Amino acid sequence: MTKNVNKNESITSQEENFSQWYTDICLKAGLMDYARAKGFIVYRPYGYAIWELVRNWLDGEFKKTGHHDVYLPLLIPESLMDEEKEHVKGFAPECAVVTIGGDKPLTEKMYVRPTSEVLFCDYFKDIVHSFRDLPVKDNQWCSVVRWEKTTRPFLRGAEFLWQEGHTLHATKEEALDETLGQLKLYERLGREVLAIPFETGKKTEKEKFAGAEATYTVEAIMKDGQALQSGTSHFFGQGFCQHFGIKFLDSNNKQETPWQTSWGVSTRLIGAVIMVHGDDNGLVLPPYVAPIQVEVIPIRFDKDPKVKQAALDLVEALTKEGIRAEADFSDKTPGWKFSEYEMKGVPLRIEVGPRDLAAGNVVLTRRFDGVKQTVALSGAAKAVPTVLKDIHEAMYAKALAYRDSHIHECHTYGELKDVVTTGQGYAKVMWCGDQADEDKVKADVNATSRCLPFDQTPFDDKCAICGKPATKVVLFARAY
Ligand SMILES: [Zn+2]
């Protein structure tokens, strides 16, 4: 964690209390507020706008690869939920249930969707009959409800916004390609948009999605050394389709069962952005998810009409370059405005003041590292896209260096425990594959297996936890 001498006094420092720092940012940067219903939050415009930018980018990519948006109902009848036993066992304990409609008790309970697999299966069985109906590549943008007892804004709560993709394919290979293709897309979202280097891999049997054959994940490491599962992609095999009687006739008129996937990311990503990039002065937004990319701060504009005009012209020129820019002409002092937009994490501030203006210049200040640059006013708008790109790259490089320094190869159980309990990030260990080890780590130090990384190069022959012969490389960490 970095110490900052110019700390914003209204935010708890990361070092003092990381969890309070996080809550301070969520509230004070205007991202959310707590709602009247316990466990629920209000997504305020500035927070929602970050989600919108994530959504727009992903939506464009989904459409490019032939996916279509659909919308299925909010409620799942109990009889439908019960059709897939493993799945219902996984989700029922955290479901909200509707038992009254109008003023009459319902004859059948209705689950508020915690996820929509069974709804999709029920719908797919009516629309898929022949190989010509495949593949089906649907995506739904919606909210889901899981009755969590604790609220941590964007990370854990009763309701979150997400996308859930659901696809059916004629062959196993095609479904596996889809599963891993979407995982790669989430990895690109991290690399190209969020400036977050995700750790990717496969979940263990214990941690996989209820009803899936395999779950793949993108994990990120936060500034307190804890991991955050940031997106998952599931390969369902044919299990759900068999349960729900989804069949198709192949080109030889033979009846076959399709292969299925589902994949999703949620508003948790906002939490990831806050905790990967934020500092003691507030939020630090990567440029491509910043609702405001440039804040123009006019200095003494009330005394000098030329300053006001120059600021207005600059915002107009920036907008023409496709930059999300605005100027603050409120009567607050420039100092107040500097800390306000630092708090809100605006990537670039441009000061327009009488003295610099007389020399034909403006001053650019980067939020994430405070680097200042004086540029000619005439070329400022054209220079900004490159400056934002540089900021994005530098933020990614910094997050990558942090991530890489928070993966530790451990050879003993003592080393594993030390790494996960002292905020050092992931303990990378060789493991025998026995679920009892995962239970033990959870009980002893409250850490979980995050993933089996794709690179499975062994570095020891004994399981670090129980000493039996090791067969897998696995990452353990404490997680949100
Ligand atoms: Zn073991």
Side-chain angles (χ1 to χ4, degrees):
M1 266 170 252
T2 52
K3 250 203 159 131
N4 197 320
V5 283
N6 302 314
K7 184 188 162 313
N8 185 320
E9 292 305 328
S10 69
I11 313 171
T12 308
S13 76
Q14 293 184 337
E15 205 168 78
E16 193 184 333
N17 184 338
F18 192 81
S19 163
Q20 188 58 47
W21 167 84
Y22 178 79
T23 309
D24 285 353
I25 300 229
C26 288
L27 289 166
K28 290 177 181 166
L31 300 177
M32 53 69 66
D33 208 345
Y34 293 102
R36 181 77 172 260
K38 201 165 180 293
F40 291 78
I41 63 167
V42 174
Y43 292 81
R44 295 187 62 195
Y46 196 59
Y48 196 85
I50 297 173
W51 177 239
E52 241 177 350
L53 289 161
V54 169
R55 178 180 162 145
N56 290 348
W57 188 88
L58 277 176
D59 206 54
E61 297 298 318
F62 294 155
K63 304 263 160 73
K64 270 187 217 167
T65 44
H67 299 83
H68 300 280
D69 283 358
V70 292
Y71 189 81
L72 272 57
L74 170 71
L75 297 180
I76 309 174
E78 186 181 27
S79 55
L80 178 57
M81 191 73 177
D82 282 349
E83 278 186 44
E84 220 287 347
K85 294 289 174 235
E86 198 183 335
H87 185 67
V88 73
K89 210 169 70 202
F91 281 100
E94 55 183 46
C95 281
V97 181
V98 179
T99 56
I100 299 174
D103 58 355
K104 299 237 166 30
L106 299 178
T107 51
E108 182 178 16
K109 288 199 293 191
M110 297 279 186
Y111 288 94
V112 180
R113 65 180 165 221
T115 178
S116 306
E117 272 71 21
V118 295
L119 290 163
F120 272 90
C121 286
D122 193 46
Y123 154 68
F124 287 156
K125 80 174 188 307
D126 295 330
I127 61 155
V128 172
H129 308 288
S130 132
F131 70 93
R132 292 183 194 88
D133 301 325
L134 295 174
V136 177
K137 297 189 353 176
D138 287 349
N139 179 58
Q140 171 167 259
W141 293 98
C142 66
S143 77
V144 289
V145 169
R146 296 180 189 175
W147 215 251
E148 295 276 359
K149 291 184 191 75
T150 51
T151 318
R152 303 216 59 195
F154 308 119
L155 301 174
R156 209 162 270 286
E159 182 185 23
F160 53 87
L161 305 173
W162 79 348
Q163 60 73 213
E164 45 178 324
H166 295 267
T167 69
L168 290 182
H169 306 268
T171 66
K172 181 179 181 178
E173 291 65 37
E174 203 183 298
L176 274 170
D177 279 354
E178 174 79 12
T179 311
L180 293 173
Q182 296 307 328
L183 191 79
K184 283 221 159 61
L185 180 66
Y186 295 154
E187 212 180 345
R188 270 185 57 211
L189 173 73
R191 174 70 187 85
E192 296 173 24
V193 183
L194 308 173
I196 296 177
F198 288 125
E199 193 60 34
T200 60
K202 192 177 173 182
K203 287 284 182 190
T204 62
E205 286 299 300
K206 179 181 160 71
E207 297 290 332
K208 76 178 187 186
F209 183 82
E213 267 189 28
T215 291
Y216 297 89
T217 181
V218 291
E219 303 274 328
I221 198 83
M222 306 296 107
K223 276 192 175 168
D224 63 349
Q226 292 203 58
L228 180 74
Q229 179 179 303
S230 306
T232 47
S233 186
H234 315 291
F235 173 67
F236 284 142
Q238 296 171 301
F240 277 93
C241 286
Q242 276 155 358
H243 282 292
F244 285 84
I246 305 167
K247 302 241 178 273
F248 71 98
L249 289 175
D250 71 9
S251 52
N252 301 315
N253 238 11
K254 201 170 138 247
Q255 202 166 56
E256 293 286 353
T257 303
W259 300 80
Q260 191 175 7
T261 81
S262 90
W263 26 273
V265 293
S266 73
T267 34
R268 270 203 140 192
L269 290 172
I270 299 173
V273 166
I274 297 169
M275 289 193 287
V276 167
H277 300 299
D279 64 21
D280 284 348
N281 288 324
L283 193 59
V284 181
L285 289 173
Y288 303 126
V289 277
I292 307 163
Q293 294 173 305
V294 176
E295 186 70 36
V296 175
I297 312 276
I299 314 283
R300 270 180 278 158
F301 62 93
D302 46 343
K303 305 242 167 33
D304 188 342
K306 284 204 294 272
V307 169
K308 184 164 188 180
Q309 194 54 51
L312 285 169
D313 291 347
L314 182 55
V315 169
E316 195 186 321
L318 286 164
T319 307
K320 271 195 193 132
E321 294 298 320
I323 303 297
R324 296 183 287 277
E326 59 166 51
D328 187 340
F329 293 110
S330 70
D331 60 1
K332 302 279 190 353
T333 64
W336 185 92
K337 291 175 188 174
F338 290 173
S339 40
E340 176 67 6
Y341 295 105
E342 272 181 11
M343 163 86 83
K344 291 181 103 63
V346 175
L348 194 64
R349 174 177 92 212
I350 304 185
E351 290 154 53
V352 181
R355 207 181 318 149
D356 286 317
L357 201 59
N361 292 331
V362 288
V363 179
L364 276 51
T365 307
R366 317 204 305 185
R367 168 64 181 91
F368 104 100
D369 59 3
V371 168
K372 283 179 189 283
Q373 189 186 353
T374 301
V375 303
L377 174 63
S378 58
K382 288 250 185 282
V384 165
T386 308
V387 174
L388 293 180
K389 187 169 178 290
D390 290 347
I391 293 173
H392 173 86
E393 292 304 328
M395 286 181 74
Y396 182 82
K398 188 178 171 190
L400 183 65
Y402 182 87
R403 196 275 308 264
D404 289 348
S405 67
H406 284 74
I407 303 176
H408 302 276
E409 270 185 18
C410 301
H411 297 268
T412 66
Y413 191 42
E415 285 171 22
L416 180 156
K417 287 196 285 191
D418 180 53
V419 165
V420 301
T421 54
T422 54
Q424 295 180 66
Y426 302 106
K428 183 177 180 182
V429 299
M430 293 302 299
W431 176 47
C432 65
D434 192 341
Q435 201 171 304
D437 288 347
E438 290 178 277
D439 296 339
K440 182 177 162 61
V441 174
K442 175 82 184 162
D444 288 351
V445 288
N446 195 28
T448 46
S449 72
R450 305 316 307 157
C451 70
L452 305 160
F454 287 116
D455 180 2
Q456 283 284 312
T457 313
F459 56 91
D460 209 343
D461 47 15
K462 282 206 315 279
C463 172
I465 302 156
C466 74
K468 283 195 290 200
T471 52
K472 294 178 167 69
V473 177
V474 63
L475 299 177
F476 277 95
R478 284 188 175 164
Y480 281 92

